[in-house]
Amino acid sequence: MTEYYKTESKIHVSVDCVIFGFHQDALNLLLLQRKMEPARGRWSLMGGFVRPDESVDDAAKRVLADLTGLEDVYMEQVHTFGAVTRDPGERVISVVYYALINIDEYDRELVQKHNAYWVGVDNIPPLIFDHDEMVSLAREQMKQKAAREPIGFNLLPELFTLTRLQNLYEAIYGEAIDKRNFRKRVAEMDYIEKTDKIDKISSKRGASLYKFNIEAYNCRKTKFKLC
Amino acid sequence: MTEYYKTESKIHVSVDCVIFGFHQDALNLLLLQRKMEPARGRWSLMGGFVRPDESVDDAAKRVLADLTGLEDVYMEQVHTFGAVTRDPGERVISVVYYALINIDEYDRELVQKHNAYWVGVDNIPPLIFDHDEMVSLAREQMKQKAAREPIGFNLLPELFTLTRLQNLYEAIYGEAIDKRNFRKRVAEMDYIEKTDKIDKISSKRGASLYKFNIEAYNCRKTKFKLC
DNA sequence: TCAAAAGTGTTAAGTTTACACCCATGA
DNA sequence: TCATGGGTGTAAACTTAACACTTTTGA
């Protein structure tokens, strides 16, 4: 390869992943408790260095797959953190992503091996370096995006009840939603389809299971808006 | 410095700046026409490599100042472009920023020296590499941000008429705004203050000049919303 | 039989949009 | 005197928010 930029410095570049899951009506993050120095015992995001032969996006996917075993996960780039001394070891520029995963599907063994745990978003312990700021930016961006696009379904199994969907959006927005208004809005979205299946686990009476139809969504005329 | 990450690869990191200006009732971008190989004669954004001793944000400020002579400019990070072969020379990861400048204030000599020109946002020529995508993302993000926060004032001189403010928002949103509705909304924002000065240049009758009061803005109770 | 979650409409308040004319001035 | 941009209010349409009771069923 031609070396056009021979005289320019190179810098370590890493990715860090803010991994969201929805568990027991609460948003959770998958955090690592470090087993080695430096900062043993402290909490951090899952991260890794970008390799010379992979894109930054691919690095984020790889790092996520290393921890969860999941491929084809919904991810968005959040921000790049570039302060000179943000990593006390050496200079590292970090590109942050968030991922939305269905909490039923990840590989529990891999997660255990990495000493990672699900932590409720309202009980996040202090994290290393600038990871707190990464989390708060990712949360904010995810919330904004979830208000305009149907990304929330990535956090649910294929079939879900309306109550569960509402609980999810309440967790994302951090505020209560009126049940009737919520269901009215859902009813107007033809791409949130009622199936003939019934969930008997979460209630005695049973609740209809719905699914999100992405093809129908792509043909919609009106804006997505659940809040 | 301890070398924790000795075995990890380093990568070139650059910044690219999407520089917005508001001129003659149109949004413009400051673009460079390359005077040297490779890609001589082709258009690009202003960019530069991140140095080992400066943050990525500082690199963006430096690159902007090199071209315009301006310090303390409103800038936002847009996105990081990390495809392996996005730069055909060598691998370079680029962090993109947009800047909003008052088009009356930049250093014309410096701009000339860099062979840079203002180009209307609706007449952008094809740009090198992935710079087209950078511009379209930056434009979209700027538009979103301008709808929620009063960043538009960075594109205007301290004093401005309401017609000029409206023209600015029409240029940002890309659509016409009703004059009476616009002025009604402005009137509700106490932090857009009428001064006793009159602009006699843009009309015979003369129009009141207004200014944006940032302290008053920070005490506001209601959301910023001009559209 | 009762506790727990599912399901269902209406009204008032607030917000947004559409719309047209007179005013002041310099050329 | 007229062409140009400055400045002003109201009503209809639409959107949002508030609100309470009946149903089903397993324990």
Side-chain angles (χ1 to χ4, degrees), chain B residues 6-212:
Chain B
K6 230 187 293 198
T7 62
E8 304 291 346
S9 305
K10 293 185 176 184
I11 304 177
H12 286 303
V13 179
S14 69
V15 293
D16 283 299
C17 294
V18 180
I19 305 167
F20 290 97
F22 182 56
H23 193 44
Q24 289 172 344
D25 296 342
L27 265 192
N28 285 256
L29 293 186
L30 194 47
L31 297 177
L32 274 60
Q33 191 163 30
R34 292 172 66 94
K35 281 190 286 194
M36 54 209 328
E37 298 298 345
R40 184 204 301 267
R42 292 184 58 201
W43 292 91
S44 79
L45 297 171
M46 177 72 179
F49 287 93
V50 177
R51 298 176 181 162
D53 58 340
E54 70 183 351
S55 71
V56 179
D57 288 355
D58 286 345
K61 285 180 202 155
R62 170 176 55 78
V63 162
L64 181 76
D66 283 351
L67 177 58
T68 63
L70 299 172
E71 318 261 355
D72 298 322
V73 171
Y74 181 85
M75 295 187 87
E76 288 281 347
Q77 193 190 108
V78 173
H79 193 79
T80 293
F81 287 74
V84 177
T85 58
R86 50 168 295 282
D87 184 319
E90 258 185 278
R91 178 160 199 196
V92 181
I93 290 170
S94 178
V95 186
V96 176
Y97 289 76
Y98 69 79
L100 304 183
I101 76 174
N102 175 348
I103 210 159
D104 301 330
E105 288 183 349
Y106 68 93
D107 182 326
R108 275 139 223 270
E109 243 179 74
L110 272 175
V111 162
Q112 211 156 44
K113 207 179 76 187
H114 281 88
N115 213 33
Y117 302 88
W118 287 103
V119 181
V121 284
D122 295 322
N123 293 301
I124 305 289
L127 307 177
I128 61 168
F129 310 167
D130 45 6
H131 288 203
D132 294 296
E133 202 189 336
M134 292 175 177
V135 167
S136 86
L137 250 191
R139 230 187 128 176
E140 186 56 34
Q141 281 191 28
M142 195 274 269
K143 185 171 158 182
Q144 296 298 330
K145 186 95 173 179
R148 320 188 163 283
E149 290 180 49
I151 64 172
F153 301 100
N154 293 291
L155 290 161
L156 295 173
E158 202 190 338
L159 298 174
F160 48 85
T161 66
L162 291 186
T163 299
R164 187 126 175 93
L165 185 65
Q166 181 175 344
N167 288 338
L168 171 63
Y169 277 89
E170 288 178 332
I172 292 174
Y173 297 144
E175 54 189 56
I177 303 173
D178 179 272
K179 181 163 67 160
R180 278 181 288 187
N181 293 337
F182 183 81
R183 283 167 185 243
K184 214 183 306 167
R185 287 190 290 262
V186 170
E188 277 161 15
M189 300 179 178
D190 316 335
Y191 47 87
I192 301 181
E193 297 172 348
K194 190 176 194 165
T195 68
D196 54 6
K197 300 195 181 63
I198 304 287
D199 170 72
K200 298 287 289 179
I201 296 164
S202 59
S203 77
K204 293 162 186 170
R205 175 171 169 181
S208 290
L209 286 164
Y210 287 72
K211 68 177 177 186
F212 175 66

Side-chain angles (χ1 to χ4, degrees), chain A residues 55-73:
Chain A
S55 70
V56 180
D57 288 356
D58 287 344
K61 285 180 202 155
R62 170 176 57 78
V63 162
L64 182 76
D66 283 351
L67 177 58
T68 64
L70 299 173
E71 318 262 355
D72 299 321
V73 171

